[in-house]
Amino acid sequence: TDALGRNIKEITAIEMSQGQARKMLEKMQSGESWQGEFSAKRKDGTAFQLSVWHSPIQDSLGNLIGMIGTSSDVTEQKQVEDALKNNEALFKEISQLASIGGWALDLQNMEPFFTNEIYNIYELPIGSPPPVEEGLSYYAPDGRPLIEEALQKAIEDGTADRENNVLRNELRKKSINIT
């Protein structure tokens, strides 16, 4: 209710670059809506991240005479996103140091998702995981039934716990633990 009918400049100090302001004005003048994010300060001086959507109000000749919009405080969302990025970077670094990888299987289309370290363990190019059947062929023949059983158990009830050897080629053998 503090904002109703008031100019946004009276309520918050917006930290918008001249480039952002110019883009917003150009869009408004062309009759298009504008959406963006930037920093702002509350009346008490505390900083926050603001997500804004503005739509132009035009007269009968198409001239910009005002705008209507919404603003949302997205500070907490940005903090969560930053924490997630930091956790992902840490996980990636630890995975590389420990040679630990992970994979998931989309049960709808049976397509696997691999972390980068799984590609390294399997000695595959990063970015395109093999089909499930091909992936199973990387396990040593004597242990493959255990892996297939673990996969089936995981598909049925979401649990798996097996240890096996990956046989990528005849010269190199790697031990893995599936949990």
Side-chain angles (χ1 to χ4, degrees):
T1 59
D2 287 347
L4 193 58
R6 295 177 63 193
N7 188 308
I8 190 71
K9 291 179 184 178
E10 297 174 29
I11 303 165
T12 60
I14 298 172
E15 298 173 10
M16 178 185 275
S17 71
Q18 287 183 340
Q20 274 183 311
R22 187 174 33 256
K23 284 180 183 178
M24 182 182 71
L25 187 57
E26 287 171 1
K27 284 223 175 217
M28 294 283 114
Q29 288 174 334
S30 69
E32 297 177 52
S33 295
W34 180 85
Q35 187 175 349
E37 291 183 2
F38 44 86
S39 297
K41 288 189 179 176
R42 294 183 179 86
K43 288 190 291 186
D44 67 3
T46 58
F48 68 103
Q49 288 298 117
L50 190 62
S51 177
V52 177
W53 172 84
H54 287 171
S55 189
I57 301 172
Q58 298 174 317
D59 64 16
S60 60
L61 300 174
N63 297 313
L64 180 65
I65 59 171
M67 66 180 80
I68 189 167
T70 62
S71 301
S72 299
D73 181 345
V74 293
T75 305
E76 188 174 325
Q77 177 183 338
K78 292 295 179 184
Q79 290 169 342
V80 169
E81 289 172 2
D82 288 345
L84 180 59
K85 286 178 189 174
N86 290 338
N87 285 343
E88 287 174 347
L90 181 60
F91 174 75
K92 182 178 178 181
E93 187 174 334
I94 290 169
S95 294
Q96 288 173 335
L97 290 171
S99 290
I100 296 173
W103 59 272
L105 183 62
D106 181 338
L107 296 178
Q108 296 284 331
N109 57 22
M110 295 302 286
E111 288 185 16
F113 166 80
F114 286 5
T115 62
N116 285 352
E117 197 55 32
I118 287 290
Y119 288 108
N120 293 333
I121 291 168
Y122 288 160
E123 299 176 353
L124 296 170
I126 292 175
S128 53
V132 174
E133 289 303 317
E134 182 182 333
L136 291 172
S137 73
Y138 297 154
Y139 294 94
D142 61 332
R144 202 169 296 144
L146 289 174
I147 297 300
E148 290 170 348
E149 177 187 326
L151 178 60
Q152 189 60 41
K153 188 172 186 328
I155 290 170
E156 290 171 4
D157 65 18
T159 62
D161 190 9
R162 297 286 188 270
E163 190 170 313
N164 205 328
N165 293 315
V166 174
L167 183 62
R168 187 62 192 123
N169 60 43
E170 295 302 321
L171 302 175
R172 298 174 57 131
K173 199 174 194 183
K174 298 179 181 180
S175 180
I176 64 161
N177 185 31
I178 299 172
T179 57

